[in-house]
Amino acid sequence: MITQSVLKKISHVVTKGMFGLEKENLRVDKDGKLALTPHPAIFGDKEENQYITTDFSESQVEMITPPLPSIEEVCSFIRTLHDVVSDEIGDELLWPQSLPPRLPSEDQIPIAKYKDASKELEEYRKSIAEVYGKYRQMICGIHFNISLDDEWFTALQKELDNSISIGDLKEEVYLKITRGLMRYRWLLIWMFSETPLAEPNFKVRSLQDDEERFLRCKASIALRSGPLGYRNRDNYIMDFYSIEGYNHIIEELVSEGKLHYAKELYLPIRMKFLDKDQGKPSYLEVRFLDLDPLSPSGVNEEALYATYMLFLYALLCEEEGEFNEKEQLDATLRQDLAACYGRCADTSFPEEIAKGAKITDEAGAVIQKMKHILSEHGVLQNPIYAATLDRMEQLAKDPAKRQGILLYQQCKEQGFIEYHPTLDKIEELAYDPACCKDTIVHEQYKAQGFIDFHLNLAKAYKREAELKGYRFWGYEKLEMSTQLLMRAALCKGVGIEILDPSENFLRLSKGENKQFVVQATKTAIDNYATVLAMENKVVTKKLLAEQHIMVPAGGEYFTKHNALKDFSRYQNRAIVVKPKSTNFGIGITILKENEELSNYNKALDIAFEHDNCVLIEDFIDGREFRIFVIDDEVVGILHRVPANVEGDGIHTVRELVEKKNQDPRRGKGYRTPLEKIALGKEEELFLELQDMSFETVVAKGEKLYLRENSNISTGGDSIDFTDDVDDSYKEIAVQAAQAVGARITGVDMMIQNIKDAASNTNYAIIEINFNPAIHIHCFPYQGKNRRLNFKVLTALGF
Amino acid sequence: MITQSVLKKISHVVTKGMFGLEKENLRVDKDGKLALTPHPAIFGDKEENQYITTDFSESQVEMITPPLPSIEEVCSFIRTLHDVVSDEIGDELLWPQSLPPRLPSEDQIPIAKYKDASKELEEYRKSIAEVYGKYRQMICGIHFNISLDDEWFTALQKELDNSISIGDLKEEVYLKITRGLMRYRWLLIWMFSETPLAEPNFKVRSLQDDEERFLRCKASIALRSGPLGYRNRDNYIMDFYSIEGYNHIIEELVSEGKLHYAKELYLPIRMKFLDKDQGKPSYLEVRFLDLDPLSPSGVNEEALYATYMLFLYALLCEEEGEFNEKEQLDATLRQDLAACYGRCADTSFPEEIAKGAKITDEAGAVIQKMKHILSEHGVLQNPIYAATLDRMEQLAKDPAKRQGILLYQQCKEQGFIEYHPTLDKIEELAYDPACCKDTIVHEQYKAQGFIDFHLNLAKAYKREAELKGYRFWGYEKLEMSTQLLMRAALCKGVGIEILDPSENFLRLSKGENKQFVVQATKTAIDNYATVLAMENKVVTKKLLAEQHIMVPAGGEYFTKHNALKDFSRYQNRAIVVKPKSTNFGIGITILKENEELSNYNKALDIAFEHDNCVLIEDFIDGREFRIFVIDDEVVGILHRVPANVEGDGIHTVRELVEKKNQDPRRGKGYRTPLEKIALGKEEELFLELQDMSFETVVAKGEKLYLRENSNISTGGDSIDFTDDVDDSYKEIAVQAAQAVGARITGVDMMIQNIKDAASNTNYAIIEINFNPAIHIHCFPYQGKNRRLNFKVLTALGF
């Protein structure tokens, strides 16, 4: 027996679980009309993309998160999915409301297309279009999946002396939770629904008499969950006490022709079965949550936490009697009441199901019980969960604060009230509470208001998604390049696992292809020896020189003493002093011709701080370009301008740097497209060489450089030159990649004049990088997005 | 005109050049009889092995160095080649003398076998066997190749105002050097030859009358260079003033049937032509140097330096008249005289060619001229070259110190003089100096002495080669594993280039296959992402656990604070505290159950010194084994015993460590098979945990460990277990390699009992190494050589 005392013993793992979201949005054009274009090709085969696919309609994008260990993560993930889709659908927009925009005639609504081998998916959609009408199928929503951790089941089994199998426990536990969620679902629907009003012309076929009817319902807050919403024709009574009985009923419904498909049973809570659990439930799917037009991701995070709290309450509570036919019918009645009269402040339940109590009082009572039980089991030790209960309590007391009410008000504020001449009969409810009768009859809709309001939100969200097109929400600590690669993976439906976030270590997979990727460009398609050849500047230079590719002459030093001895050799040449193994330009100093010995000495000190071997090389005149090569093709060329400030005759270098660093695109550690400019030793030395310091005031209009090296990682600016550089340099970059055997590489080349063809005297390759950043080519300071994240995925075989 | 003054202007680059050696040795059995076995299969196809092949006979191994920039390097290289061959021919030995051991009848001497496509090589050998007799072809020697650097030719061309092409300069210069070397070769033959006596029964066919004759020649020091030695039937007069004329004479000799092949012209100095020089000479081949039985490598380094000095003298001197027919014949006469009477202290030249001067005086005079010219051109600023001239001067004054004389004496000292009844007619010389007549007539040979003397040397060298079987001479600074890989490359004829010695960065190549190899096991057959997965212990554990391979449970910490918070979690378990990314066991501490917080604290300090992320893991009971996997096959299993000393009741830990470290196999930085034991912080902590210090006296017979970790790199002992561990662990190691995708890897596994099959509780993998050392499996403290160097080459496709 799973008693309260048994449950309490294992409460330390009860909040471990997995969470997932599925969310639909209709694509619309810039005027808010349903987009009739095909599902965008960038998302690939809709059956093979685990993240982005279609639901009923070709115009109905479905976004699916993987199971994740927290609600926080699942919310971030769905936001990124939403942003990525928003970003990749061109001029189209994602409609942020569960209830549709103005639709074309029903026959013009495109059912999702499938390839020949999967025509049964199209057949299913045709069948439900037939039964429920296409318009109804255009109503979108959120499915929230929740599971308990196997560790909890194992602990439970142990507490029960291993007398019951894990499978049987799953059956017992998930059935109990389902009963509880079915019983109390009215509370969540009343509290969090966001479908108070539909587009005035939107009609659906009545499930009672098959007549076309405007989707309106008294003082509704949840049209989607109301009698005209997304549901089956009948209120089928289920067996919620055994999986066998439950399945039996479904089989009967199908065999009796009441359902054409088992999956056509639209229960508000569905048990889901994965192969691994062999016929026992694996997780629950909560299906009544609406899109939240007031959040950029379309998901109301509060609603998810509240749902999860009710899920845990349903698990942990002592049940109040059997969930029999009457209780099931009553629960549906409560849902319809909450849905249709939810906006009305003093809605009461009918005498026979809740002694006529006001819905707010009933809500408050349930929340008190939840608080009690969840607190007893330690759940509310988590401040987020405690806050969720407090918030629910507050909403029960002050229901005007509900998101659905706010949405309704804002939507109405959008413009004038337009009288609709054919205000028609509202759908009959089993119970019609007197309290609301007068208040709702004259409710009127403002057509343009509904469309404009949601369209403006869609446009604002799209702009924001574009601006933050580099961001993978929830993974802000990963490097920019890695976040971008993950975004591309979402698009192409390539599975993402983060094996070690601290090292940006991913495993990407699709079908048979599994690839480790570290820092976006350290991959399995480059071999280790090639990487070591690139890492070793001496070897790199030998290999390039063998192929008659120009490299700067110079020497290699293991002691400062030896390097000092050679000062005279370098004195009359412009040189670069750098640690043998470094990326990112760290420890590099450039000295002009006829430099003082003391500066040479200082440069050596800096370089030897970073490596026990230092290279001194000719400084090659010209501008430096990063030429990104993937599989013998140049995919991006970037010129990097060293960290710089522009003077105003008033502010010091230090002040100008601080100001420039306030640009939100500038961050630290590759988590934004550009890096903040540092005020360190090397910048100091570089200014010293120009007789300046951080406290110097820079003349108006003067562009002052703070470093000679132009890496973005040391505060440089990035400018795209992919289409501007003579092809001869591109060929040389490809040859250089081939010389070391690299498939993904960034060639750093000095070029005197990008319009002149390469000769033996006008360019030199100074480095070949085995871990080139991709974000700088995707979000340059100036220029086009070269979409290297997608190109890396292609190179990896995705 | 190439004048003295022109030459002086470019003397700073005159000693830049390349050097190469080709050396033959006969294979003999343990009794000193010619081995009649085929050329060993380990050396592969003799036509495709650029280092180890056969010369005339199947039993005659030829070793070839690549061109190298110094004589020192070329001597080290040939020694390694000699050692490698010696090591790989089983019980057979390399005969250290140019003159052969006791041979079977001539028809039994096997001519080198070639595959069908190259039968012309066998035909050539049959032809020369016919003309010169197989016995003569069994005389071995050294060819020393010398070239001047292209930089010198470029400088020369510049000094001559670019009026002459580099090709024409090469022709002029190499012809001049050839003339000089031909003219003065008698000096080197007299000074450095080491063929004073042959095996008493060794006969060769006289080139004058075709009769079989014992190879003896008066007071000979150079039987190989004497009239019965290795030469053509006639003394062909060449044109040493133009390549055209030179080639024309060769063509005539062939067309007249005097030679069957152009390459049959056995000049003492040969010009060699590489394709790149388009018909102009590329380098010179000096052909008269004998094997040096008194050096392990068979090469007398002094003789090479002296030859090079004469080469430079011939280049830089003003020539003394034309090198015409008379001069050419005189030069041969001098050679024969030096060869046949070289042991006689007061040999004089005949009146007509050197005014009857004593050969020692003539030698002295030439050396003075060399000193003068070489000094004028700055060559003698190099102390080795100066010492060479001094040494030559000394040998001219005290000719008994010559290597050939020492050899002769030692050979005679080997036993009694045996009278040979058929002391036969000596070969006629054009000139027969009276001075030696009486002293040489009664010279007698002790057959057994000649054989035993050389056989004993061969055996001693073979033993030494075996003992130092890990060494690649001249590259002692490279890691042991790299030296071993290079030795295997020599065996298989895989070309070796050292791209960066400081990083053990090689390029190996054979035919189309080119491979970068770093530290012997960082290669192109492993991809970069796999290496990163192995390097990252968190990722490694995830990937192994996915495959149901046992790994120790634990946690990952980025701050000491967090790790300290979890002390209670670990307090009652034996744990390992280690930096997240480290090889070589650096920074690792093992703590027993119920350890003090202060020791936990200290262990964290040590680990955080090496990485900003520290892992704490269960300490797995059992012994640790390194399982080396190449391409899904276990190729070696090693148990490593932590650094330890055995007590004697008298000495302290410190003293015992110092003593154990005196073992010559123990070195530092992977340049020997074992590493010295350190007395550092970690050893100190480990002893502290046992209430001991470095000053503790260890009880007699007690084995005291200084570390818990058993890496060889921290002084551990290596014991081969390849054949002793249950197969189940080998299968798991292969699965682990597959889980990370590695082709070359070292799996570190804790095993409780190697005879029990693996279960979920009796083993765990603690690490997978992407750069496992190979030398520990080749030269373990105890056990078999598993030849991983050869296996790595095979995996690389060689």
Side-chain angles (χ1 to χ4, degrees), chain A residues 499-500 502-503 505 507 516 518 522-524 526-529 531-533 536 539 542-543 546 580 770, chain B residues 499-500 502-503 505 507 516 518 522-524 526-529 531-533 536 539 542-543 546 558 580 770:
Chain A
L499 295 181
D500 186 353
S502 71
E503 302 207 347
F505 202 127
R507 179 164 52 190
F516 298 129
V518 184
K522 296 176 176 175
T523 74
D526 273 308
N527 73 65
Y528 189 31
V531 168
L532 295 171
N536 184 314
V539 171
K542 272 190 195 164
L543 298 176
E546 273 180 10
K580 183 170 175 186
F770 60 91
Chain B
L499 295 181
D500 186 354
S502 71
E503 301 206 348
F505 203 127
R507 178 164 52 190
F516 298 128
V518 183
K522 296 176 176 174
T523 74
D526 272 309
N527 72 64
Y528 189 31
V531 167
L532 295 171
N536 184 315
V539 172
K542 272 189 197 166
L543 298 177
E546 273 180 9
F558 287 91
K580 183 171 176 185
F770 61 89

Side-chain angles (χ1 to χ4, degrees), chain A residues 366-386:
Chain A
V366 174
I367 293 163
Q368 286 319 307
K369 286 191 280 183
M370 286 173 69
K371 261 195 153 167
H372 176 69
I373 287 285
L374 295 176
S375 168
E376 265 196 335
H377 286 263
V379 172
L380 301 188
Q381 280 168 19
N382 182 325
I384 301 176
Y385 301 154

Side-chain angles (χ1 to χ4, degrees), chain B residues 135-205:
Chain B
Y135 280 148
R136 176 173 280 105
Q137 298 298 337
M138 300 303 277
I139 298 173
C140 295
I142 289 170
H143 296 168
F144 181 31
N145 301 319
I146 313 173
S147 68
L148 293 158
D149 200 87
D150 276 354
E151 202 183 325
W152 183 83
F153 282 107
T154 309
L156 177 61
Q157 185 183 41
K158 205 173 147 199
E159 286 302 326
L160 299 173
D161 300 326
N162 298 313
S163 56
I164 312 180
S165 74
I166 296 277
D168 288 346
L169 288 176
K170 286 191 174 179
E171 172 165 355
E172 188 173 343
V173 165
Y174 282 119
L175 281 166
K176 181 185 178 198
I177 301 171
T178 304
R179 294 192 295 269
L181 286 172
M182 289 294 285
R183 199 191 289 268
Y184 299 112
R185 68 184 192 268
W186 63 268
L187 174 62
L188 298 174
I189 289 169
W190 177 78
M191 205 167 256
F192 296 106
S193 291
E194 300 195 48
T195 47
L197 65 170
E199 197 277 322
N201 299 299
F202 182 58
K203 284 183 172 176
V204 289
R205 201 186 307 163

Side-chain angles (χ1 to χ4, degrees), chain A residues 167-384:
Chain A
D168 287 347
L169 287 176
K170 286 192 172 177
E171 172 165 355
E172 188 173 341
V173 164
Y174 283 118
L175 281 166
K176 182 183 178 198
I177 301 171
T178 304
R179 294 190 296 269
L181 285 172
M182 288 294 283
R183 199 191 287 265
Y184 299 111
R185 69 184 190 268
W186 65 267
L187 173 63
L188 297 174
I189 288 167
W190 176 78
M191 205 167 256
F192 296 106
S193 290
E194 303 195 47
T195 47
L197 64 170
E199 198 276 321
N201 300 301
F202 182 58
K203 284 183 172 178
V204 290
R205 202 186 307 161
S206 164
L207 295 166
Q208 291 175 12
D209 57 19
D210 270 330
E211 283 193 22
E212 291 283 320
R213 212 158 289 179
F214 287 109
L215 184 61
R216 290 169 208 166
C217 184
K218 305 189 191 226
S220 58
I221 196 153
L223 287 168
R224 173 166 165 264
S225 296
L228 274 178
Y230 197 89
R231 57 170 63 176
N232 292 117
R233 284 183 173 265
D234 267 324
N235 197 355
Y236 306 120
I237 303 305
M238 301 300 295
D239 176 355
F240 288 115
Y241 287 89
S242 91
I243 297 300
E244 201 188 339
Y246 178 89
N247 286 333
H248 181 69
I249 290 173
I250 297 175
E251 279 161 30
E252 273 189 350
L253 289 171
V254 172
S255 70
E256 289 165 11
K258 290 182 179 161
L259 300 176
H260 292 100
Y261 296 85
K263 64 181 170 180
E264 192 188 325
L265 181 64
Y266 304 136
L267 292 175
I269 315 293
R270 250 188 198 165
M271 282 182 288
K272 297 290 242 179
F273 301 84
L274 297 177
D275 286 348
K276 72 171 176 65
D277 289 306
Q278 303 175 327
K280 302 297 184 178
S282 307
Y283 64 93
L284 296 190
E285 180 186 50
V286 177
R287 297 164 50 84
F288 47 69
L289 296 175
D290 292 339
L291 290 177
D292 176 15
L294 300 177
S295 301
S297 67
V299 174
N300 179 356
E301 208 163 328
E302 270 180 8
L304 301 188
Y305 279 108
T307 305
Y308 182 47
M309 290 302 102
L310 191 63
F311 172 99
L312 290 177
Y313 173 71
L315 163 65
L316 300 170
C317 71
E318 306 259 17
E319 285 181 271
E320 297 172 26
E322 209 185 328
F323 194 58
N324 53 22
E325 179 170 351
K326 176 177 182 311
E327 290 293 321
Q328 290 183 38
L329 291 172
D330 280 1
T332 304
L333 193 57
R334 284 175 195 244
Q335 166 173 344
D336 289 347
L337 196 70
C340 292
Y341 297 86
R343 265 191 352 265
C344 175
D346 54 356
T347 304
S348 298
F349 284 118
E351 190 61 33
E352 58 272 32
I353 56 167
K355 296 178 186 151
K358 279 177 69 176
I359 201 164
T360 46
D361 294 340
E362 268 292 285
V366 174
I367 293 163
Q368 286 319 307
K369 286 191 280 183
M370 286 173 69
K371 261 195 153 167
H372 176 69
I373 287 285
L374 295 176
S375 168
E376 265 196 335
H377 286 263
V379 172
L380 301 188
Q381 280 168 19
N382 182 325
I384 301 176

Side-chain angles (χ1 to χ4, degrees), chain B residues 2-220:
Chain B
I2 307 181
T3 62
Q4 281 291 311
S5 86
V6 164
L7 289 171
K8 272 178 196 159
K9 280 189 190 146
I10 57 172
S11 62
H12 60 289
V13 280
V14 74
T15 55
K16 279 188 81 170
M18 296 297 268
F19 306 89
L21 283 173
E22 298 160 34
K23 179 176 85 89
E24 303 136 20
N25 285 91
L26 294 176
R27 286 183 289 115
V28 296
D29 66 16
K30 63 184 192 331
D31 302 319
K33 281 186 288 195
L34 186 73
L36 300 178
T37 49
H39 185 62
I42 185 81
F43 305 129
D45 183 331
K46 59 184 74 155
E47 285 183 79
E48 285 171 14
N49 191 322
Q50 61 182 294
Y51 300 117
I52 300 166
T53 182
T54 51
D55 197 272
F56 170 80
S57 167
E58 186 74 5
S59 312
Q60 193 172 31
V61 182
E62 181 174 359
M63 303 161 210
I64 304 161
T65 74
L68 291 165
S70 75
I71 291 174
E72 192 189 350
E73 284 164 83
V74 94
C75 287
S76 296
F77 204 103
I78 200 78
R79 171 148 187 211
T80 308
L81 266 171
H82 188 94
D83 281 5
V84 163
V85 173
S86 187
D87 222 16
E88 294 291 343
I89 56 175
D91 292 336
E92 293 176 1
L93 300 154
L94 290 176
W95 184 248
Q97 189 22 289
S98 283
L99 300 181
R102 192 167 283 160
L103 297 174
S105 66
E106 218 165 2
D107 58 323
Q108 280 184 277
I109 290 176
I111 285 178
K113 295 267 176 296
Y114 285 88
K115 52 181 190 267
D116 286 345
S118 311
K119 279 296 171 197
E120 79 282 3
L121 295 169
E122 233 172 289
E123 292 309 318
Y124 168 66
R125 281 162 175 73
K126 282 181 189 156
S127 152
I128 59 174
E130 191 77 25
V131 178
Y132 302 94
K134 278 183 174 177
Y135 280 148
R136 176 173 280 105
Q137 298 298 337
M138 300 303 277
I139 298 173
C140 295
I142 289 170
H143 296 168
F144 181 31
N145 301 319
I146 313 173
S147 68
L148 293 158
D149 200 87
D150 276 354
E151 202 183 325
W152 183 83
F153 282 107
T154 309
L156 177 61
Q157 185 183 41
K158 205 173 147 199
E159 286 302 326
L160 299 173
D161 300 326
N162 298 313
S163 56
I164 312 180
S165 74
I166 296 277
D168 288 346
L169 288 176
K170 286 191 174 179
E171 172 165 355
E172 188 173 343
V173 165
Y174 282 119
L175 281 166
K176 181 185 178 198
I177 301 171
T178 304
R179 294 192 295 269
L181 286 172
M182 289 294 285
R183 199 191 289 268
Y184 299 112
R185 68 184 192 268
W186 63 268
L187 174 62
L188 298 174
I189 289 169
W190 177 78
M191 205 167 256
F192 296 106
S193 291
E194 300 195 48
T195 47
L197 65 170
E199 197 277 322
N201 299 299
F202 182 58
K203 284 183 172 176
V204 289
R205 201 186 307 163
S206 163
L207 295 167
Q208 290 174 13
D209 58 18
D210 269 331
E211 282 193 24
E212 290 284 319
R213 211 158 287 179
F214 286 108
L215 184 61
R216 289 170 209 164
C217 184
K218 309 193 185 211
S220 57

Side-chain angles (χ1 to χ4, degrees), chain A residues 20-24 141-145 224 285-287:
Chain A
L21 283 173
E22 297 159 35
K23 178 177 86 89
E24 302 134 22
I142 290 171
H143 296 169
F144 181 30
N145 300 318
R224 173 166 165 264
E285 180 186 50
V286 177
R287 297 164 50 84

